[in-house]
Amino acid sequence: MMGEFVGVQEWLMASLGASALLVFALPGSPMAQPWAVIAGNTISALIGIVAFMVVPEPLLAMPIAASLSILGMFVLRCLHPPAAAVALIVILGHVTQFRYAIFPVMIDSILLVIAGALYSNLTGKTYPNKPLR
């Protein structure tokens, strides 16, 4: 189980592929910006962990976690669609350790944003977007 964090599973974050699609293919999207990617994924992991601890029945915990993670992202203005899947991954993996939200979720998200910024710099694209004044 992922709850034990051993070897490759330590880095497991299946929804990172969808996050990468947004960062690399749609770097101008508000949903691909660093705050959305990092905060959206991290808050969703935290909400998923709490939901699983409070509601140990996965069939009930999954919709609760997904909907609360979307609400959390709206409130924090960090809407990132793949992040809703992070909450589901946490529940399906029986993750109960809060450190999962930091590593791998937040660390992988930061590394993805850095890779996206380097790639964009090399290809002449703008990432992250500069706020309009």
Side-chain angles (χ1 to χ4, degrees):
M1 287 296 182
M2 280 176 35
E4 296 177 12
F5 301 107
V6 180
V8 173
Q9 291 176 343
E10 182 79 26
W11 288 85
L12 184 61
M13 191 177 129
S15 63
L16 197 64
S19 294
L21 175 84
L22 286 172
V23 169
F24 287 98
L26 300 168
S29 169
M31 296 177 191
Q33 299 312 300
W35 174 249
V37 175
I38 297 165
N41 283 330
T42 304
I43 192 71
S44 294
L46 290 169
I47 289 170
I49 293 165
V50 170
F52 184 68
M53 293 170 80
V54 173
V55 184
E57 172 53 49
L59 290 177
L60 294 174
M62 286 191 298
I64 291 169
S67 58
L68 288 178
S69 70
I70 292 167
L71 177 63
M73 287 185 282
F74 269 116
V75 168
L76 294 175
R77 302 177 62 86
C78 59
L79 190 60
H80 183 65
V86 173
L88 302 178
I89 291 164
V90 164
I91 292 165
L92 291 172
H94 298 224
V95 176
T96 57
Q97 298 175 1
F98 286 102
R99 74 178 184 90
Y100 181 81
I102 303 301
F103 181 75
V105 174
M106 188 173 75
I107 299 300
D108 283 357
S109 298
I110 291 169
L111 293 173
L112 173 63
V113 165
I114 291 169
L118 291 172
Y119 173 79
S120 292
N121 190 356
L122 293 172
T123 59
K125 297 178 184 173
T126 302
Y127 181 81
N129 279 347
K130 309 283 187 284
L132 296 174
R133 299 201 184 249

